[in-house]
Amino acid sequence: MSNRQRQRASSQSPRTNAPPRIPEPSGLAAPPNPRRIPLYVGLAVLGAAVGLAGTLVQAALFPGGLLLALAGSAGLFYGGRVLTRTQLGALVPAVGWFLAVIVLLGGRPEGDYVFGEEIGLALFMLGGMAVAVICATMSRLPYSANDPGRSGT
């Protein structure tokens, strides 16, 4: 084997004395970006507001109001996911939504509560939680053609 062939073979082989690289955590294990914390707080407050509005709408206009309330919740959860490009972007408004709905379940001292029908309550709670899980566990987000990070454009 000539000297040139040895150099070529050694340059193509992996380095054995290199220190191992530790992969950076991703997803929910990654440390939160401090610049996004006000955005997450705003999403949580918006989630609570959508939960309150959805509770009132679904109780007042049962079949159509339930669909409208779930569509509003889905829009908020998906919008948070797209806005932040993280799973936490969908989970934070879902937590705000869930806390608002749980508080409204407590009732009032007079004995009545906000939800009108039990079937509406069950469908609103289960549907909202299902939408939150779907938005949070989406594998990847669609990117626009104008996105500079996209290869091949």
Side-chain angles (χ1 to χ4, degrees):
M1 186 182 274
S2 71
N3 192 17
R4 178 175 258 181
Q5 288 174 341
R6 274 190 227 127
Q7 286 177 346
R8 191 177 296 157
S10 68
S11 67
Q12 293 174 354
S13 64
R15 288 179 29 190
T16 58
N17 60 352
R21 288 192 292 175
I22 300 172
E24 294 198 24
S26 62
L28 294 177
N33 187 348
R35 294 178 299 198
R36 289 188 179 172
I37 291 175
L39 178 64
Y40 289 138
V41 170
L43 284 172
V45 170
L46 195 57
V50 168
L52 172 68
T55 301
L56 296 174
V57 167
Q58 73 86 22
L61 311 166
F62 174 61
L66 177 64
L67 294 175
L68 182 64
L70 289 175
S73 300
L76 175 65
F77 303 154
Y78 183 73
R81 168 79 185 216
V82 170
L83 182 66
T84 63
R85 296 196 185 271
T86 63
Q87 290 175 331
L88 203 55
L91 290 176
V92 168
V95 167
W97 176 89
F98 186 72
L99 290 176
V101 172
I102 291 298
V103 166
L104 292 172
L105 275 175
R108 299 181 0 182
E110 292 86 20
D112 54 348
Y113 59 100
V114 176
F115 290 100
E117 297 180 18
E118 293 174 3
I119 188 74
L121 166 64
L123 291 175
F124 184 62
M125 290 287 293
L126 292 174
M129 288 187 286
V131 166
V133 168
I134 289 169
C135 290
T137 57
M138 291 173 53
S139 61
R140 57 180 192 161
L141 295 172
Y143 294 102
S144 68
N146 298 330
D147 190 9
R150 186 176 183 180
S151 61
T153 58

